[in-house]
Amino acid sequence: MAGIGSSNYWEDLRKQARQLENELDLKLVSFSKLCTSYSSSRDGRRGDSSDTTPLLNNSTQDRMFETMSVEIEQLLAKLTAVNDKMAEYTNAPGTASLNAALMHTLQRHRDILQDYTHEFHKTKGNFLAIREREDLLGSVRKDIDGSGVNNRRTELFLKEHEHLRNIAMATKENMTSQRGLLKSIQSRVNTLANRFPTINNLIQRINLRKRRDSLILGTVIGVCTILLLLYAFH
C-alpha cells in the first residue's frame, strides 16, 4: 500500500470507503426487507391455528436478523476505521494545499457513514419492537386459549344472571302495575265509604286484609331478592 503521505494512499482509502458503502447499501436494503417480511408474515398468520410452521419461519427470520446485524455492524466498523484514516491523512505533512478538497471529500464520506448508521439502528429498533409486540400478543393468545373452559363457565353464569335479572324486573313492573290498580280501587272505595257510612266497617276489614297481603307479598319479594343476590355473587 502507498505511504501515508502519497496521493495513492488517499485514493486507496477512498476506494475502500466506496466499496464498503456499496456493500452497506445492499445489506441495509436486504435488512429492511427482512423487517418488513417479518411483520407481514406475523400479521398473515395471526388467524392460523397451526403452531409448527410459524415457529420454524420465525426462528429462521430471527437467525437471519442476528446474522445480518453482525455483518452490518462489522461493515460499519470497517468504514469508520477507513474514515479515521482519511481524517489522519488530511493532517499529514504536504497536504495543506489540498486540505479544503480533502476535507470536503472526507465530510461526504462521514455523512454517508452517519446516514447508514442511523438507518441501521432505526431498522433494527423497528424489528425488535415488532418481535417483542408479536411475542407478547402470542403469549396473551395462549393464555386466552388456555382459559377457554373458564370463559365458557363465566359466559353461562352471566347468561343465567341476566335471565334472573329479567325475571326480577318483570316482577317489579307487575307489582308496580298492581299497586297502581289497588290505589285506584282504594280511592273509589273511600269515595263509596264517605257516601255510605254504614259500610265503613266492611271497608276497614278489607283494608286489614289488604295490609296483610301486602306484608306477605313484600316478604316473598325480599326473600327472592336475597336469593338472587346470593346466587349472583356465589
Coordinates of all heavy atoms in Angstrom, one line a residue, residues 157-207:
F157 N -72.6 -18.3 33.4 CA -73.0 -17.6 34.6 C -73.7 -16.3 34.3 O -74.7 -15.9 34.9 CB -71.8 -17.4 35.5 CG -72.1 -16.5 36.7 CD1 -72.8 -16.9 37.8 CD2 -71.6 -15.2 36.6 CE1 -73.1 -16.0 38.8 CE2 -71.8 -14.3 37.7 CZ -72.6 -14.7 38.8
L158 N -73.1 -15.5 33.4 CA -73.6 -14.2 33.0 C -75.0 -14.3 32.4 O -75.9 -13.5 32.6 CB -72.6 -13.5 32.1 CG -71.3 -13.1 32.7 CD1 -70.4 -12.5 31.6 CD2 -71.5 -12.0 33.8
K159 N -75.1 -15.4 31.5 CA -76.4 -15.6 30.9 C -77.5 -15.9 31.9 O -78.6 -15.4 31.9 CB -76.4 -16.7 29.9 CG -75.6 -16.3 28.6 CD -75.6 -17.5 27.6 CE -75.0 -17.1 26.3 NZ -74.9 -18.2 25.3
E160 N -77.2 -16.7 32.9 CA -78.1 -17.1 34.0 C -78.4 -15.9 34.8 O -79.6 -15.6 35.2 CB -77.5 -18.2 34.8 CG -78.5 -18.7 35.9 CD -79.7 -19.4 35.3 OE1 -79.6 -19.8 34.1 OE2 -80.7 -19.5 36.0
H161 N -77.4 -15.1 35.1 CA -77.6 -13.9 35.9 C -78.5 -12.9 35.2 O -79.4 -12.3 35.8 CB -76.3 -13.2 36.2 CG -76.4 -12.0 37.0 ND1 -76.5 -10.7 36.4 CD2 -76.4 -11.8 38.3 CE1 -76.6 -9.8 37.4 NE2 -76.5 -10.4 38.5
E162 N -78.3 -12.8 33.9 CA -79.2 -11.9 33.1 C -80.6 -12.4 33.0 O -81.6 -11.6 33.1 CB -78.6 -11.8 31.6 CG -79.4 -10.8 30.7 CD -79.3 -9.4 31.2 OE1 -78.3 -9.1 32.0 OE2 -80.1 -8.6 30.8
H163 N -80.8 -13.7 33.0 CA -82.1 -14.3 33.0 C -82.8 -14.0 34.3 O -84.0 -13.6 34.3 CB -82.0 -15.8 32.8 CG -83.3 -16.5 32.8 ND1 -84.3 -16.3 31.9 CD2 -83.8 -17.4 33.7 CE1 -85.4 -17.1 32.2 NE2 -85.1 -17.7 33.3
L164 N -82.1 -14.2 35.4 CA -82.7 -13.9 36.7 C -83.1 -12.4 36.9 O -84.1 -12.0 37.5 CB -81.8 -14.3 37.8 CG -81.6 -15.8 37.9 CD1 -80.5 -16.1 38.9 CD2 -82.9 -16.6 38.3
R165 N -82.2 -11.6 36.3 CA -82.4 -10.1 36.4 C -83.7 -9.7 35.6 O -84.4 -8.9 36.1 CB -81.2 -9.4 35.8 CG -81.3 -7.9 35.8 CD -80.0 -7.2 35.3 NE -80.2 -5.8 35.1 CZ -80.6 -5.3 34.0 NH1 -81.0 -6.0 33.0 NH2 -80.8 -4.0 33.9
N166 N -83.9 -10.4 34.5 CA -85.1 -10.1 33.7 C -86.3 -10.5 34.4 O -87.4 -9.8 34.4 CB -85.0 -10.8 32.3 CG -83.9 -10.2 31.4 OD1 -83.6 -9.1 31.6 ND2 -83.4 -11.0 30.5
I167 N -86.3 -11.6 35.1 CA -87.4 -12.1 35.9 C -87.7 -11.1 37.0 O -88.9 -10.7 37.3 CB -87.1 -13.5 36.5 CG1 -87.0 -14.5 35.4 CG2 -88.2 -13.9 37.5 CD1 -86.7 -15.9 35.9
A168 N -86.7 -10.6 37.7 CA -86.9 -9.7 38.8 C -87.5 -8.4 38.2 O -88.3 -7.8 38.9 CB -85.5 -9.4 39.5
M169 N -87.0 -7.9 37.1 CA -87.5 -6.7 36.5 C -89.0 -6.8 36.1 O -89.8 -5.9 36.3 CB -86.7 -6.3 35.3 CG -85.3 -5.8 35.6 SD -85.2 -4.3 36.6 CE -85.9 -3.2 35.5
A170 N -89.3 -8.0 35.6 CA -90.7 -8.2 35.2 C -91.6 -8.3 36.4 O -92.7 -7.7 36.4 CB -90.8 -9.6 34.4
T171 N -91.1 -8.9 37.5 CA -91.9 -8.9 38.7 C -92.1 -7.5 39.3 O -93.2 -7.2 39.8 CB -91.1 -9.8 39.8 OG1 -90.9 -11.1 39.2 CG2 -92.0 -9.9 41.0
K172 N -91.0 -6.7 39.2 CA -91.1 -5.4 39.7 C -92.2 -4.6 38.9 O -93.0 -3.8 39.5 CB -89.8 -4.7 39.6 CG -89.8 -3.2 40.1 CD -88.4 -2.6 40.0 CE -88.4 -1.2 40.4 NZ -87.1 -0.5 40.3
E173 N -92.1 -4.7 37.6 CA -93.1 -4.0 36.8 C -94.5 -4.4 37.1 O -95.5 -3.6 37.1 CB -92.8 -4.2 35.3 CG -91.5 -3.5 34.9 CD -91.1 -3.8 33.4 OE1 -91.9 -4.6 32.8 OE2 -90.1 -3.3 33.0
N174 N -94.7 -5.7 37.3 CA -96.0 -6.3 37.6 C -96.5 -5.7 38.9 O -97.7 -5.4 39.1 CB -95.9 -7.8 37.6 CG -97.3 -8.4 37.7 OD1 -98.3 -7.9 37.2 ND2 -97.4 -9.6 38.4
M175 N -95.6 -5.7 39.9 CA -96.0 -5.1 41.2 C -96.4 -3.7 41.1 O -97.4 -3.2 41.7 CB -94.9 -5.3 42.2 CG -94.6 -6.8 42.7 SD -93.2 -6.8 43.7 CE -93.7 -5.7 45.0
T176 N -95.6 -2.9 40.3 CA -95.9 -1.5 40.2 C -97.3 -1.3 39.5 O -98.1 -0.5 39.9 CB -94.9 -0.8 39.3 OG1 -93.6 -1.0 39.9 CG2 -95.2 0.6 39.1
S177 N -97.6 -2.2 38.5 CA -98.9 -2.1 37.9 C -100.0 -2.4 38.9 O -101.1 -1.7 38.9 CB -99.0 -3.0 36.7 OG -100.2 -3.0 36.1
Q178 N -99.8 -3.5 39.7 CA -100.9 -3.9 40.6 C -101.0 -2.8 41.7 O -102.2 -2.6 42.2 CB -100.5 -5.2 41.3 CG -100.6 -6.4 40.3 CD -100.2 -7.7 41.0 OE1 -100.0 -7.7 42.2 NE2 -100.2 -8.8 40.3
R179 N -99.9 -2.2 42.1 CA -100.0 -1.1 43.1 C -100.9 0.1 42.6 O -101.7 0.6 43.3 CB -98.6 -0.6 43.5 CG -98.6 0.3 44.7 CD -97.2 0.8 45.1 NE -96.4 -0.3 45.5 CZ -95.3 -0.8 44.8 NH1 -95.0 -0.2 43.7 NH2 -94.7 -1.8 45.2
G180 N -100.7 0.4 41.3 CA -101.5 1.5 40.7 C -103.0 1.1 40.7 O -103.9 1.9 41.0
L181 N -103.2 -0.2 40.4 CA -104.6 -0.6 40.4 C -105.3 -0.6 41.7 O -106.4 -0.2 41.9 CB -104.7 -2.1 39.8 CG -106.1 -2.7 39.7 CD1 -107.0 -1.9 38.7 CD2 -105.9 -4.1 39.1
L182 N -104.5 -1.1 42.7 CA -105.0 -1.1 44.1 C -105.3 0.3 44.6 O -106.3 0.6 45.3 CB -104.0 -1.8 45.0 CG -103.9 -3.3 44.9 CD1 -102.7 -3.8 45.7 CD2 -105.2 -4.0 45.3
K183 N -104.4 1.3 44.3 CA -104.7 2.7 44.7 C -106.0 3.2 44.0 O -106.7 3.9 44.7 CB -103.5 3.6 44.3 CG -102.3 3.4 45.1 CD -101.2 4.3 44.7 CE -99.9 4.2 45.6 NZ -98.9 5.1 45.2
S184 N -106.2 2.9 42.8 CA -107.4 3.3 42.1 C -108.6 2.7 42.8 O -109.6 3.4 43.0 CB -107.3 2.9 40.6 OG -108.5 3.2 40.0
I185 N -108.5 1.4 43.1 CA -109.7 0.8 43.8 C -109.9 1.4 45.1 O -111.1 1.6 45.5 CB -109.4 -0.7 43.9 CG1 -109.4 -1.4 42.5 CG2 -110.5 -1.4 44.7 CD1 -109.0 -2.8 42.4
Q186 N -108.8 1.6 45.9 CA -109.0 2.2 47.2 C -109.6 3.6 47.2 O -110.4 3.9 48.0 CB -107.6 2.3 47.9 CG -107.7 2.8 49.3 CD -106.3 2.8 50.0 OE1 -105.3 2.6 49.3 NE2 -106.3 3.1 51.3
S187 N -109.2 4.4 46.2 CA -109.8 5.7 46.0 C -111.3 5.6 45.8 O -112.1 6.4 46.4 CB -109.1 6.4 44.9 OG -109.7 7.7 44.6
R188 N -111.7 4.7 45.0 CA -113.2 4.5 44.7 C -113.9 4.0 45.9 O -115.0 4.4 46.2 CB -113.4 3.5 43.5 CG -112.9 4.1 42.2 CD -113.1 3.1 41.1 NE -112.5 3.6 39.8 CZ -112.6 2.9 38.7 NH1 -113.2 1.7 38.7 NH2 -112.1 3.4 37.6
V189 N -113.2 3.1 46.7 CA -113.9 2.5 47.9 C -114.0 3.6 48.9 O -115.1 3.7 49.6 CB -113.0 1.4 48.4 CG1 -113.5 1.0 49.8 CG2 -113.2 0.2 47.5
N190 N -113.0 4.5 49.0 CA -113.1 5.6 50.0 C -114.2 6.5 49.7 O -114.9 7.0 50.5 CB -111.8 6.3 50.1 CG -110.7 5.5 50.7 OD1 -111.0 4.6 51.5 ND2 -109.4 5.8 50.4
T191 N -114.4 6.7 48.4 CA -115.5 7.6 47.9 C -116.8 7.0 48.3 O -117.7 7.7 48.8 CB -115.4 7.8 46.4 OG1 -114.2 8.4 46.1 CG2 -116.5 8.7 45.9
L192 N -117.0 5.7 48.1 CA -118.2 5.0 48.5 C -118.4 5.0 50.0 O -119.6 5.2 50.5 CB -118.2 3.5 48.0 CG -118.3 3.3 46.5 CD1 -118.1 1.9 46.1 CD2 -119.7 3.8 46.0
A193 N -117.3 4.9 50.7 CA -117.4 4.9 52.2 C -117.9 6.2 52.7 O -118.7 6.3 53.7 CB -116.1 4.5 52.8
N194 N -117.5 7.3 52.1 CA -117.9 8.6 52.5 C -119.4 8.8 52.2 O -120.1 9.5 52.9 CB -117.1 9.7 51.8 CG -115.6 9.7 52.3 OD1 -115.4 9.3 53.5 ND2 -114.7 10.1 51.5
R195 N -119.8 8.2 51.1 CA -121.3 8.3 50.8 C -122.1 7.4 51.6 O -123.3 7.8 51.9 CB -121.5 8.0 49.3 CG -120.8 9.1 48.4 CD -121.1 8.7 46.9 NE -120.5 9.7 46.0 CZ -120.6 9.6 44.7 NH1 -121.3 8.6 44.1 NH2 -120.1 10.6 43.9
F196 N -121.6 6.2 52.0 CA -122.4 5.3 52.7 C -121.7 4.9 54.0 O -120.9 3.9 54.0 CB -122.7 4.0 51.9 CG -123.4 4.3 50.5 CD1 -122.6 4.4 49.4 CD2 -124.7 4.6 50.5 CE1 -123.2 4.7 48.2 CE2 -125.3 4.9 49.2 CZ -124.5 4.9 48.1
P197 N -121.8 5.6 55.0 CA -121.1 5.4 56.3 C -121.4 4.0 56.9 O -120.5 3.4 57.6 CB -121.6 6.4 57.2 CG -122.1 7.5 56.3 CD -122.6 6.8 55.1
T198 N -122.5 3.4 56.5 CA -122.8 2.1 57.1 C -121.9 1.0 56.6 O -121.8 -0.1 57.2 CB -124.2 1.7 56.7 OG1 -124.4 1.7 55.2 CG2 -125.2 2.6 57.3
I199 N -121.1 1.2 55.5 CA -120.3 0.1 55.1 C -118.8 0.3 55.5 O -117.9 -0.3 55.0 CB -120.3 0.0 53.5 CG1 -119.9 1.2 52.8 CG2 -121.7 -0.4 53.1 CD1 -119.8 1.1 51.3
N200 N -118.6 1.4 56.4 CA -117.2 1.6 56.8 C -116.6 0.4 57.5 O -115.4 0.2 57.4 CB -117.2 2.8 57.8 CG -117.1 4.1 57.1 OD1 -116.6 4.2 56.0 ND2 -117.6 5.2 57.7
N201 N -117.4 -0.3 58.3 CA -116.9 -1.5 59.0 C -116.4 -2.5 58.0 O -115.3 -3.1 58.2 CB -118.1 -2.1 59.8 CG -117.6 -2.9 61.0 OD1 -116.4 -2.8 61.3 ND2 -118.5 -3.5 61.6
L202 N -117.1 -2.7 56.9 CA -116.7 -3.7 55.9 C -115.4 -3.2 55.2 O -114.5 -4.0 55.0 CB -117.8 -3.8 54.9 CG -117.5 -4.8 53.7 CD1 -117.2 -6.2 54.1 CD2 -118.6 -4.7 52.7
I203 N -115.3 -1.9 55.0 CA -114.1 -1.4 54.3 C -112.8 -1.6 55.2 O -111.8 -1.9 54.7 CB -114.3 0.1 53.9 CG1 -115.4 0.2 52.8 CG2 -113.0 0.8 53.5 CD1 -115.8 1.6 52.5
Q204 N -113.0 -1.3 56.5 CA -111.9 -1.5 57.4 C -111.4 -2.9 57.4 O -110.1 -3.2 57.4 CB -112.3 -1.1 58.8 CG -112.5 0.4 59.0 CD -113.0 0.8 60.3 OE1 -113.2 -0.1 61.2 NE2 -113.2 2.1 60.6
R205 N -112.3 -3.9 57.4 CA -111.9 -5.3 57.3 C -111.1 -5.6 56.0 O -110.2 -6.3 56.0 CB -113.1 -6.2 57.4 CG -113.5 -6.4 58.9 CD -114.5 -7.5 59.0 NE -115.7 -7.3 58.3 CZ -116.9 -7.1 58.9 NH1 -117.0 -7.3 60.2 NH2 -118.0 -6.9 58.1
I206 N -111.6 -5.0 54.9 CA -110.9 -5.2 53.6 C -109.5 -4.6 53.7 O -108.6 -5.2 53.2 CB -111.8 -4.5 52.5 CG1 -113.1 -5.3 52.3 CG2 -111.0 -4.5 51.2 CD1 -114.0 -4.7 51.3
N207 N -109.4 -3.4 54.3 CA -108.1 -2.7 54.4 C -107.1 -3.6 55.2 O -105.9 -3.7 54.9 CB -108.2 -1.3 55.0 CG -108.8 -0.3 54.0 OD1 -108.7 -0.5 52.8 ND2 -109.5 0.7 54.5

